[in-house]
Every structure is written in structure tokens, then in C-alpha cells.
């Protein structure tokens, strides 16, 4: 009797361990509802006769819950310069000036109607200390679909109406109006670890048309980290006489992604 117990005892002890191992493998196989480029950071600093520092960061998240897809996009840019200023009496002083200070946040939800088709609701807010419209907020509803669905090339679009409220820093005036909103996202896999992305956002209303194009090329170093070179162009059709209608930004960032 004792011999039988001694033979079956290891089996009884191993059974729970085997079941736990199966459960752990099943949990590992389950895909996380979170995805996206968890963080994107870039910093540049120069010192000498003049000192300049520039920082930009971005956080993009995506959460999938059955037929709903929720997304969030945060962006920030800040630059400053320090230089020597000589006054009329010949004395020299050191001064620091902020040359860029901008941030934006957007969030949206999409109800999946089928493969690559959805109804969308998106809100966006932007603050820019050096723009004619130093504050802009918009909300839009739309219909999204995939126009190109290739093995290496995809093109997704969202189109619909919306409303926008803007503050003009020169006139200290708030304006609200209807807009037409369009978003176009293109992705092209050049190689297994190199991807080209381009995103174009257009918000057009009666008093201003805002457009922002983000172009980037990323090279993956491993499963989570990548190097990304980006170029951004922003355009406002209605600006003050001393302001340019188009601003550009070139970045070289480290990107952390999770899937």
C-alpha cells in the first residue's frame, strides 16, 4: 500500500503544476487590448556663444474592446534659446527666450461595422503660444474605411462633419463654426524592419482651413525600440500679416512600441 502511495504521490503533485503551466501559456497567448507607440522622445542641446535646447515627445495609445476601438494621442514641443545681449551702454547680459511652446491632445472612439469600416467620434485640442490661433478645439463625427488594403501598403480614411472653436491671439476673439474633417493614414512596409508612415489631417471651415501632415520613416532595432525620422508640416489659411501660414518641424526620435 505504501509503495502505491509513493508511486502516485509525484503524479498528484505534478498535476496542479501542469495545469498551472497550461493556464500560464494560455494567458501568454492572449493578446493585449492595448497597442500603439507607447512613447516617442527627442531632445537636442547646443552650447557655446548661444545655447539652444529643444524637446519633443509623443504618446499614442490604442485600446480595443470587442467592437469598440478607443485611441489617444498626446504631443508636446518646447524650445528655448539663451544668448548674449549688448545694451547701448556696452554692458552685456545673458538672456533666455522661449522659441516654441506647443502641445496637443486628441482622443477618439470608433464602432466597428465590419472589417475596416467604422463610425468615429474624435475630439482634439491644441495650444500654441506662437500661432495666430493660440487655442483650437474641435469635435467631429465621421465614417471610416480602408481604401487600400495591400500586403505591404494600407490607406485608411475618415471623413465627416464637425465643429471647431478657436481663439485669435491677435484680436483676442473666440470664434465657433462648422467644419469638414478628413483624416488619411498611409503605411508602407519597405522591409521587415523599416516602415514609412504618413498622416494627413484637414479641418476646413468658413474662416480657416487647418491642415497637418506627419511623415515618418522608422527602423526597428528590436521588438519594442525603433529609430524614427519625422517631418511635420502645419498650415493655417487665415493668419496675421506678420505670421507665416506654414510651419515645419523635423525630428529624430527614439520610439518605444508595445503590442
Amino acid at each position: 500500500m505504501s509503495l502505491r502511495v509513493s508511486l502516485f504521490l509525484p503524479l498528484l503533485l505534478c498535476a496542479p503544476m501542469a495545469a498551472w503551466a497550461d493556464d500560464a501559456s494560455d494567458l501568454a497567448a492572449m493578446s493585449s487590448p492595448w497597442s500603439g507607440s507607447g512613447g516617442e522622445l527627442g531632445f537636442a542641446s547646443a552650447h557655446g556663444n548661444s545655447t539652444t535646447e529643444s524637446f519633443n515627445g509623443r504618446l499614442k495609445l490604442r485600446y480595443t474592446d470587442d467592437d469598440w476601438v478607443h485611441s489617444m494621442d498626446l504631443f508636446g514641443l518646447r524650445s528655448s534659446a539663451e544668448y548674449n545681449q549688448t545694451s547701448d551702454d556696452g554692458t552685456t547680459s545673458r538672456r533666455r527666450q522661449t522659441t516654441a511652446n506647443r502641445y496637443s491632445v486628441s482622443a477618439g472612439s470608433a464602432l466597428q461595422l465590419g472589417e475596416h469600416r467604422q463610425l468615429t467620434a474624435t475630439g482634439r485640442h491644441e495650444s500654441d503660444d506662437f500661432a495666430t490661433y493660440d487655442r483650437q478645439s474641435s469635435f467631429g463625427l465621421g465614417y471610416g474605411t480602408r481604401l487600400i488594403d495591400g500586403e505591404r501598403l494600407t490607406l485608411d480614411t475618415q471623413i465627416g462633419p464637425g465643429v471647431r472653436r478657436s481663439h485669435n491671439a491677435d484680436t483676442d476673439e473666440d470664434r465657433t463654426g462648422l467644419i469638414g474633417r478628413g483624416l488619411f493614414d498611409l503605411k508602407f512596409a519597405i522591409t521587415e524592419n523599416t516602415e514609412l508612415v504618413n498622416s494627413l489631417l484637414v479641418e476646413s471651415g468658413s474662416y480657416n482651413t487647418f491642415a497637418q501632415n506627419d511623415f515618418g520613416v522608422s527602423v526597428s532595432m528590436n521588438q519594442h525600440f525603433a529609430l524614427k525620422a519625422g517631418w511635420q508640416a502645419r498650415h493655417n489659411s487665415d493668419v496675421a500679416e506678420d505670421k507665416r501660414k506654414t510651419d515645419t518641424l523635423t525630428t529624430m526620435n527614439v520610439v518605444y512600441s508595445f503590442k
Side-chain angles (χ1 to χ4, degrees):
M1 189 70 173
S2 60
L3 179 59
R4 292 180 179 179
V5 172
S6 63
L7 290 175
F8 282 103
L9 183 59
L11 296 177
L12 294 174
L13 294 175
C14 291
M17 297 179 62
W20 177 86
D22 292 339
D23 292 341
S25 61
D26 292 340
L27 290 175
M30 294 174 61
S31 59
S32 171
W34 293 94
S35 64
S37 54
E40 183 175 331
L41 294 174
F43 178 76
S45 178
H47 296 271
N49 294 322
S50 63
T51 301
T52 59
E53 294 178 346
S54 178
F55 168 83
N56 74 89
R58 192 164 200 168
L59 176 65
K60 298 181 70 174
L61 296 175
R62 180 185 175 97
Y63 183 84
T64 303
D65 183 14
D66 293 332
D67 292 333
W68 287 93
V69 178
H70 310 286
S71 60
M72 181 181 67
D73 188 349
L74 305 175
F75 175 82
L77 169 67
R78 183 175 178 85
S79 299
S80 62
E82 187 175 322
Y83 57 94
N84 293 325
Q85 184 180 46
T86 303
S87 59
D88 295 336
D89 59 3
T91 60
T92 302
S93 60
R94 196 76 168 172
R95 297 194 61 183
R96 175 175 289 273
Q97 181 178 4
T98 301
T99 57
N101 187 33
R102 171 164 54 94
Y103 71 87
S104 64
V105 54
S106 63
S109 296
L111 174 61
Q112 303 296 320
L113 302 178
E115 187 177 10
H116 307 311
R117 294 184 298 111
Q118 62 274 142
L119 295 177
T120 63
T122 305
R124 188 180 73 90
H125 175 77
E126 175 184 286
S127 177
D128 189 346
D129 291 347
F130 295 86
T132 297
Y133 297 101
D134 58 346
R135 296 191 304 272
Q136 293 193 82
S137 299
S138 63
F139 176 80
L141 301 174
Y143 173 78
T145 187
R146 175 162 290 184
L147 299 179
I148 301 177
D149 188 17
E151 183 177 351
R152 300 170 61 184
L153 176 65
T154 61
L155 175 60
D156 295 311
T157 182
Q158 296 178 16
I159 297 178
V163 61
R164 177 178 59 197
R165 183 173 177 84
S166 304
H167 177 261
N168 191 313
D170 296 318
T171 62
D172 194 23
E173 179 185 7
D174 290 313
R175 301 185 67 178
T176 303
L178 298 177
I179 59 172
R181 180 181 180 275
L183 177 64
F184 305 88
D185 282 322
L186 181 144
K187 294 183 180 180
F188 176 66
I190 302 175
T191 64
E192 291 184 357
N193 67 332
T194 305
E195 185 181 45
L196 181 151
V197 295
N198 193 87
S199 178
L200 173 63
L201 171 66
V202 179
E203 296 178 348
S204 182
S206 59
Y207 63 89
N208 182 47
T209 295
F210 170 80
Q212 176 174 312
N213 191 85
D214 290 280
F215 172 82
V217 178
S218 62
V219 179
S220 300
M221 297 180 288
N222 53 41
Q223 185 178 359
H224 296 291
F225 287 95
L227 292 177
K228 180 180 179 181
W231 182 79
Q232 181 186 88
R234 295 160 43 82
H235 178 83
N236 285 282
S237 62
D238 182 20
V239 299
E241 294 182 357
D242 60 338
K243 300 290 180 63
R244 295 184 178 181
K245 293 185 176 182
T246 303
D247 296 317
T248 61
L249 174 67
T250 303
T251 57
M252 179 66 73
N253 294 345
V254 176
V255 181
Y256 175 80
S257 302
F258 61 90
K259 300 178 180 179

